[in-house]
Amino acid sequence: SERTIRRPAPSPVRPWRAPWSKAPPRDEMDAKYGDKAVRAVVPGLGLSLRLPRRRGSGAGTAIRRTICALLAFALLVFLPLRSISGRSSSALPRADCGPVATESGGDEPAPANLRSLVGEDGHLDDRRFTVLLNTFKRRDLLKKAVAHYATCENIAEIRVVWSEQVPPPTRGEENGAYFGPKPSMVTYDTHTTTSIQNRFDPPATNGANAISTRAVFNVDDDVRMPCAALTRGFDAWRANRDVLVGYYPRTHKLDDAGCGWRYVWDDFSLWRHGDFSIVLTKAAFMRTGYMSLYSEGLPQSARRYIDEYKNCEDIAMQILTAKVTGKPPVYVPVPTMHYLWAKLEGFGVAGISKGSGHHVHRGECITDLSRMIGGGGPSSTPLVRAPLQAWRG
C-alpha cells in the first residue's frame, strides 16, 4: 500500500524587521514577552525600540542609578580633599609660639564701641531685603544674575557693586540685559577702586540713595540661589537678625604647632569635625548696619592686609560680627541638585578662590585678622563655633 508522509506545515516567513522600525501590534508583543515587554519610544519620529525586559531589571536599574549618583556626588565633593584639611585638629594652644610680627606702626585696635557703629535700623523695611550683587569683569554672569534675582520674592532692590574702572552699563545697552526684567529695581553703585572690600562699603547712610531695608543679601555674580532657598534664608535671618546667615559653612582649627589657625573648607572635613564658625559672604544675609561696622570699625592695618592679598574680606566681616555679638553664624543648606549643578558650572570659571595656595592663605588670614581685630595672641580668635546643623525654623 502506498504510504503517506505528513510533514509539518512550514512556519510563515516573516520579513526582517529592524529594531528601530515601527513597533509590532501590541498583542504580538504581549504574546511573545507578556509583561516583560517594554517599548522605548523615540520622540517625534513615531518609532520605538522593542526590548524584552530582563528579569529583575527594574530593581537592578534603580540600584545602578543610585550607585552612579553616589559616585558622581563623591567625585564632585570629595576630590577637593587636601591634606591641609584632613590632618588631625587635636593640637592645643602653645605658650612658646614666639613673638608675633606686627605691621610697621603697630596694629590699630578695633574700637571698643563696635556695636554703636551698627546704628539704629528700626525704621527700615524688614519685610523685604536688598540684594548686593558683587561683580567684576564677568558680564555674562552679571546679566544672568540680575535677570534671576529680579524674579524672586521679597526683594526690594538689586544693588550692583560696580568696581570696574569704566562707566557702568546703561539701560539701553544690549537691549536692557544689564537691568533684567524689572529695570526700576536695579541700581549700579560705582566705586573709585577695585578693592574686594567695596562689597561692604555702604552706598549711603541716609538720603535717596540709602538702602531702605534692614537686611542685605551679599552674593557673587556666579551664585544664583534658587528663589525658594533665598526665601528660607531670609526667614532664618529674621529669626537671627544679629548674626550672618549663609549657605556655605566653613570652620577653623588650630594648626599642628598650636600657634595659628587652619581654614577647613571641604565638605568631608566639615562633616568630620562637625562644627562651623564662618559662612561665606558670597551668599549670606546680614544687617545693613554691618556695612557701617565694617567700613568704620575695621582697623586700617586689616584693610591694608586684605587689599594687599586680595582675599579674606569675608573672614574679617565674620570676625567683626562675632566680636560684637559673641555668637556663631547660622547655616541654611542649599538644595542638593543646586549644589551639584553649581559645582559643575564652577569648573573653568576664573575667580580668586581658584588660585594656588588660596585655602592655605585663608588660614593665615584667620590668625592675622583675629590678632588685628580681636587683639589676642596667635591662638586666640573671636570666631565662635557651633554644631554643623542646618537651621530648621
Side-chain angles (χ1 to χ4, degrees):
S1 62
E2 201 175 284
R3 295 176 59 184
T4 303
I5 300 176
R6 296 183 179 181
R7 292 185 175 87
S11 300
V13 178
R14 298 184 181 182
W16 177 83
R17 183 186 288 119
W20 53 82
S21 62
K22 296 286 184 179
R26 188 175 183 84
D27 55 353
E28 182 179 336
M29 290 284 288
D30 291 342
K32 186 170 184 178
Y33 296 113
D35 61 357
K36 297 183 177 59
V38 294
R39 302 171 65 191
V41 179
V42 180
L45 298 179
L47 306 178
S48 62
L49 297 177
R50 304 183 314 283
L51 302 172
R53 189 195 305 271
R54 286 183 289 183
R55 184 175 300 175
S57 64
T61 299
I63 293 173
R64 286 193 296 273
R65 288 176 178 172
T66 302
I67 292 173
C68 289
L70 291 174
L71 287 175
F73 181 82
L75 288 173
L76 290 172
V77 174
F78 298 143
L79 276 182
L81 295 181
R82 298 290 187 272
S83 60
I84 180 176
S85 56
R87 287 177 288 182
S88 172
S89 62
S90 58
L92 297 176
R94 288 174 48 181
D96 58 344
C97 292
V100 177
T102 58
E103 191 182 63
S104 176
D107 285 329
E108 304 165 38
N113 58 341
L114 282 175
R115 185 177 291 275
S116 66
L117 299 177
V118 178
E120 296 295 329
D121 56 9
H123 62 289
L124 299 178
D125 183 3
D126 71 343
R127 296 171 300 174
R128 299 180 299 169
F129 60 91
T130 298
V131 173
L132 291 180
L133 180 56
N134 192 51
T135 186
F136 192 76
K137 295 184 178 181
R138 300 195 292 191
R139 302 294 183 92
D140 289 341
L141 292 175
L142 170 62
K143 289 183 285 188
K144 291 178 182 179
V146 169
H148 169 70
Y149 288 112
T151 65
C152 297
E153 298 179 352
N154 305 318
I155 295 178
E157 58 180 336
I158 300 172
R159 308 289 289 255
V160 179
V161 181
W162 188 257
S163 299
E164 297 182 27
Q165 301 303 290
V166 296
T170 62
R171 293 193 179 186
E173 192 172 336
E174 295 191 24
N175 296 320
Y178 290 99
F179 286 79
K182 299 178 180 178
S184 61
M185 69 185 301
V186 181
T187 301
Y188 281 76
D189 295 318
T190 59
H191 297 267
T192 58
T193 71
T194 59
S195 172
I196 61 173
Q197 301 180 83
N198 289 341
R199 70 185 312 155
F200 298 139
D201 186 18
T205 55
N206 51 53
N209 198 43
I211 294 175
S212 61
T213 60
R214 294 181 68 179
V216 293
F217 177 63
N218 270 285
V219 64
D220 286 353
D221 55 11
D222 60 344
V223 178
R224 293 189 294 279
M225 192 62 59
C227 293
L230 202 60
T231 298
R232 182 158 180 79
F234 184 48
D235 291 341
W237 178 85
R238 295 185 71 184
N240 304 272
R241 297 172 184 263
D242 56 345
V243 300
L244 301 187
V245 176
Y247 301 86
Y248 300 98
R250 304 290 187 262
T251 194
H252 65 289
K253 297 293 177 183
L254 275 172
D255 62 18
D256 292 341
C259 294
W261 299 104
R262 289 192 296 109
Y263 176 72
V264 181
W265 60 279
D266 67 87
D267 299 278
F268 178 76
S269 294
L270 286 167
W271 169 79
R272 185 167 64 86
H273 291 304
D275 60 46
F276 76 109
S277 56
I278 299 168
V279 291
L280 301 185
T281 55
K282 73 174 186 177
F285 286 90
M286 68 180 188
R287 290 179 66 174
T288 300
Y290 284 165
M291 298 175 71
S292 297
L293 171 68
Y294 190 97
S295 62
E296 300 177 33
L298 190 68
Q300 287 302 311
S301 58
R303 276 190 167 276
R304 290 190 291 268
Y305 179 94
I306 293 168
D307 280 337
E308 178 182 355
Y309 292 103
K310 296 180 173 58
N311 198 346
C312 303
E313 83 286 358
D314 54 344
I315 292 175
M317 174 62 83
Q318 187 69 76
I319 292 174
L320 275 172
T321 56
K323 184 175 178 64
V324 168
T325 65
K327 298 178 181 179
V330 170
Y331 162 53
V332 179
V334 297
T336 302
M337 290 308 299
H338 169 77
Y339 178 82
L340 294 175
W341 183 250
K343 286 275 190 182
L344 291 172
E345 279 193 320
F347 290 141
V349 177
I352 294 174
S353 62
K354 303 299 177 65
S356 61
H358 170 78
H359 298 105
V360 175
H361 178 60
R362 284 175 71 82
E364 297 168 352
C365 283
I366 296 174
T367 303
D368 297 337
L369 292 173
S370 292
R371 172 177 50 80
M372 296 176 189
I373 301 171
S379 58
S380 173
T381 179
L383 293 176
V384 181
R385 295 191 189 94
L388 185 59
Q389 297 176 353
W391 181 78
R392 298 299 179 187

